[in-house]
Each structure stands twice: as structure tokens, then as C-alpha cells.
Amino acid sequence: MDSSMDKDMEKTVDQDAVENNEEVKETAEEKTEAKEFQEDEKTEEETLEEKLVKAEEQVKEAQDKWLRQLAEFENFRKRTNQEKQGMYNNGVRDTVEKFLPVVDNFERAVAATEDKESSTYKGIEMILKQMLDVMKAAGVEEIPAEGEPFDPNIHSAVMHIEDESCDENVVVEVFQKGYKHSDKVIRPAMVKVAN
């Protein structure tokens, strides 16, 4: 009986050993799986972090491109407005320059008319005033000349006189009025200058 008991005990011990061995195997497998899972999580976290860094870089690049394009558009808009304003100003100057001889003739007609009460004189005077008002509305100004110091940028000296009663380099007479638009001379004033 002892041997049968011994055998039963051996079987029980063997079964316990097998069960213990299986538990150890399961625990080892669980540890391995847990390790792999942790490594997968770390790899996944690193991958997510890398993706986040890449996404942030892409956002910065896109934002930088957008800001550059916005600045380029703003510069284009400003440049276009300046060009448009420049073309407008040049058009005004060219048109006014072509009408200045007509204005000069109306001024001569007003100055030459002796009968200031005639309807012809009043009509010419009204037309002259209307033309000068239109020029003023377009930003055209008469260049001040008589009594002003001579400035070769805005005056054209066609005569010089010696006059002790006048200061040196002063405009004493205007032969033809000068006009400017936006600080650019359309036509310089033709003047007589005292030395």
C-alpha cells in the first residue's frame, strides 16, 4: 500500500509540479505579453509624439506661407494703388497742359476787353472762372510768382532787369502763369526777375 500511496503522492506531487510549472509558464507569458504591450504603448506614444511634432511643423510652415502670401498681396495692392494714382495724376497733368493755352487766351481776352459791363466780357469771364474752378477741383494750383523769390524749379526767367527798388532775385512780373498738380509742375511760370 505504501507503494500505491507513494505513487499517488508522486502523482499528486507531479500534478502539483505540472500545475506550478504551468502557472509559472502563464505568469512568464503574462509578463512577456505585458512587456510587449508596454513596448507597443511606448512605440505608439513615440509615434504619436513624432506625428504631433510633424503636424506642428506643417502648421508653422503653412502659417508662414500664408503670412508671406498675405504680405505679398498687401504689397501688390499698395503698388497697384500707387500706379493707378500715378496714372490718374499723369492723365490730369496731360489734359490740363493741353487746356492751358485756352485758359491763357481767355485771360488775355478778359484783360483786353475795355467794356467791363458788356455781356461778351461777362460771358468770357464766366467761362474762364468755370475752367479755373474745374482745374482747382482736379487739384491744379496756380504757381505763386509775382513778388516771390525766384525758384528755378517752378519759374522760368525770360528777362532780367536791374532795379534798385526791388530785392535781388525777386520776380517782378509774370508773362505767363505757371501751374502745378500734386507738387509736380505742369508748366513753369514765365517771369521777369530783378537782379
Side-chain angles (χ1 to χ4, degrees):
M1 267 200 149
D2 278 334
S3 74
S4 130
M5 246 180 150
D6 284 337
K7 281 185 182 180
D8 281 339
M9 241 175 151
E10 279 179 20
K11 280 183 184 178
T12 308
V13 170
D14 284 341
Q15 281 179 349
D16 284 344
V18 168
E19 285 176 7
N20 281 341
N21 194 14
E22 284 178 9
E23 285 178 15
V24 168
K25 279 183 181 177
E26 285 177 11
T27 308
E29 285 177 5
E30 286 174 0
K31 285 183 181 177
T32 305
E33 285 177 10
K35 247 186 190 178
E36 287 175 2
F37 182 73
Q38 285 176 345
E39 286 176 5
D40 285 346
E41 275 189 357
K42 285 182 182 178
T43 305
E44 197 173 302
E45 284 178 17
E46 288 173 3
T47 305
L48 289 175
E49 286 180 17
E50 289 173 3
K51 285 181 180 178
L52 179 64
V53 168
K54 284 181 183 177
E56 286 175 347
E57 287 174 4
Q58 288 174 342
V59 166
K60 284 181 183 177
E61 286 176 19
Q63 188 177 22
D64 186 49
K65 282 182 182 178
W66 179 77
L67 288 173
R68 287 176 191 263
Q69 286 182 342
L70 185 64
E72 280 182 32
F73 178 74
E74 189 64 26
N75 290 338
F76 169 77
R77 189 181 62 76
K78 286 178 183 177
R79 187 174 58 248
T80 303
N81 285 341
Q82 286 175 344
E83 289 173 0
K84 192 179 356 175
Q85 187 63 40
M87 287 189 298
Y88 171 78
N89 288 339
N90 288 338
V92 168
R93 288 184 202 109
D94 289 345
T95 304
V96 168
E97 188 174 17
K98 290 176 182 155
F99 275 102
L100 285 179
V102 177
V103 172
D104 292 339
N105 288 333
F106 275 110
E107 286 177 341
R108 286 186 198 105
V110 167
T113 304
E114 293 178 14
D115 184 9
K116 306 292 185 198
E117 297 300 320
S118 73
S119 59
T120 305
Y121 172 81
K122 289 181 181 181
I124 292 172
E125 189 178 44
M126 285 172 44
I127 293 170
L128 175 62
K129 182 182 179 323
Q130 188 177 18
M131 289 185 80
L132 293 174
D133 287 345
V134 168
M135 288 172 40
K136 187 175 183 178
V140 177
E141 301 172 11
E142 183 181 332
I143 295 173
E146 196 165 335
E148 298 288 321
F150 175 74
D151 181 355
N153 296 317
I154 58 174
H155 301 129
S156 176
V158 291
M159 274 181 84
H160 291 277
I161 61 163
E162 297 291 330
D163 191 351
E164 300 294 325
S165 65
C166 296
D167 292 336
E168 192 174 316
N169 253 358
V170 172
V171 175
V172 291
E173 189 177 343
V174 177
F175 297 117
Q176 186 179 51
K177 291 181 180 178
Y179 294 92
K180 65 181 180 176
H181 177 262
S182 301
D183 296 330
K184 285 198 176 183
V185 175
I186 297 172
R187 179 179 78 185
M190 249 193 283
V191 297
K192 183 195 297 186
V193 181
N195 287 339

